[in-house]
Amino acid sequence: MKTADSGSTATVVIAIDGPAGAGKTTTAREVARRLGFKYLDTGAMYRTIALHVLRQGCDLSNPDEIARIAEDADISIEFIDGAQKTCLKGEDVSELIRSPEVSKAVSPVSEVPAVRRRMVALQRENGKSGQNVVEGRDIGTVVFPDAVLKVFMTADIEERARRRLSDFSRSGIDSDIQKIAADIEERDGRDSNREDSPLSRADDAVLIDTTSLSFEDQVEKIIQNFREKTS
Ligand code: DC
């Protein structure tokens, strides 16, 4: 089995990348739960930096200011029963970072090379041992290019917007589907076109279009691909 490092304990990484709203988070978390792996949500790390930057009243059109303010962000992650808890200065911000304000700020923040360098180092540190499902945008291409399985999940924009709308209404956040679709498209555009480690499918990633797949099918497809790679 290919491993993410050359240490004696077998390190396993399943990399799950794709655009916003493709179903990565819920699917990756369930795959991790069924396999007994740790689940690492790298988007949550960028969101936490974005929350910090917003709280400091940073000018989001100024990458140098973002880099300077982000440097002071005291971000840490913990795993409780395999689930990630993301903290800013010791405060659990796992829910706060899902707000529409943070979702809007996160792309300009994650474009800044200094922010990415720090986050990639933190992600590698957390995935360097044990068995991990790691979800993000550049996991199979940059963070863990030796991942044993790489998956690129996608879905039609209408379906992705519908899913985000139901996430928001479950959390009691008011929104409408057109606005969500426009925000997602803007974010995907920025994430895909930035210079430093853009959202892209690794050549060896398995493509899963989730538009008309059930949740169970998505999870099963990934587990089946993993078993095929490792049997
Ligand atoms: O997966 P998410 O929607 O929580 O991610 C939030 C943002 O973080 C996403 O728009 C781009 C950025 N991101 C990134 O640049 N690289 C990653 N590995 C994960 C997320």
Side-chain angles (χ1 to χ4, degrees):
M1 185 189 295
K2 268 203 242 168
T3 61
D5 68 14
S6 53
S8 54
T9 51
T11 299
V12 179
V13 171
I14 297 178
I16 302 186
D17 291 302
K24 300 187 303 294
T25 301
T26 44
T27 306
R29 193 181 285 144
E30 181 60 11
V31 168
R33 194 191 66 78
R34 289 194 197 174
L35 294 174
F37 285 16
K38 190 167 80 182
Y39 162 62
L40 186 61
D41 176 0
T42 62
M45 298 180 183
Y46 289 100
R47 286 173 177 273
T48 304
I49 299 282
L51 176 65
H52 172 75
V53 156
L54 281 176
R55 282 180 171 175
Q56 302 304 309
C58 175
D59 172 6
L60 292 177
S61 65
N62 183 340
D64 292 337
E65 192 176 325
I66 295 176
R68 185 176 52 74
I69 292 178
E71 207 178 286
D72 295 334
D74 174 5
I75 164 173
S76 57
I77 53 179
E78 281 172 43
F79 297 93
I80 297 166
D81 293 334
Q84 179 174 322
K85 180 171 127 181
T86 314
C87 296
L88 183 59
K89 247 179 148 180
E91 172 193 355
D92 180 0
V93 293
S94 309
E95 291 293 319
L96 272 179
I97 56 173
R98 303 288 152 199
S99 73
E101 293 74 25
V102 171
S103 299
K104 223 169 162 44
V106 71
S107 280
V109 169
S110 62
E111 276 167 17
V112 176
V115 170
R116 300 203 71 78
R117 272 197 299 278
R118 197 177 151 204
M119 291 303 96
V120 168
L122 187 60
Q123 291 155 19
R124 288 189 176 141
E125 183 59 34
N126 275 282
K128 74 174 185 196
S129 60
Q131 299 167 306
N132 309 276
V133 177
V134 187
E135 179 221 320
R137 300 290 188 289
D138 58 346
I139 308 306
T141 50
V142 172
V143 184
F144 291 112
D146 292 335
V148 65
L149 172 67
K150 299 178 189 178
V151 174
F152 193 87
M153 285 178 73
T154 186
D156 288 356
I157 180 68
E158 293 80 15
E159 179 59 23
R160 293 194 278 134
R162 258 195 303 277
R163 290 176 190 167
R164 270 290 137 95
L165 184 67
S166 44
D167 289 347
F168 282 147
S169 54
R170 262 197 304 277
S171 310
I173 299 171
D174 260 353
S175 196
D176 75 81
I177 197 147
Q178 265 85 24
K179 182 166 178 342
I180 293 176
D183 286 350
I184 289 180
E185 282 191 308
E186 191 199 330
R187 192 144 66 92
D188 285 349
R190 289 191 79 141
D191 293 346
S192 308
N193 292 308
R194 67 173 176 237
E195 264 178 46
D196 190 345
S197 48
L199 162 68
S200 70
R201 180 184 164 193
D203 292 341
D204 51 349
V206 176
L207 178 68
I208 301 185
D209 183 334
T210 66
T211 309
S212 39
L213 281 184
S214 69
F215 175 67
E216 184 58 30
D217 287 344
Q218 295 167 32
V219 172
E220 263 311 307
K221 257 186 190 296
I222 294 175
I223 291 181
Q224 192 190 327
N225 271 283
F226 175 68
R227 303 241 188 263
E228 280 166 14
K229 290 265 182 193
T230 55
S231 60

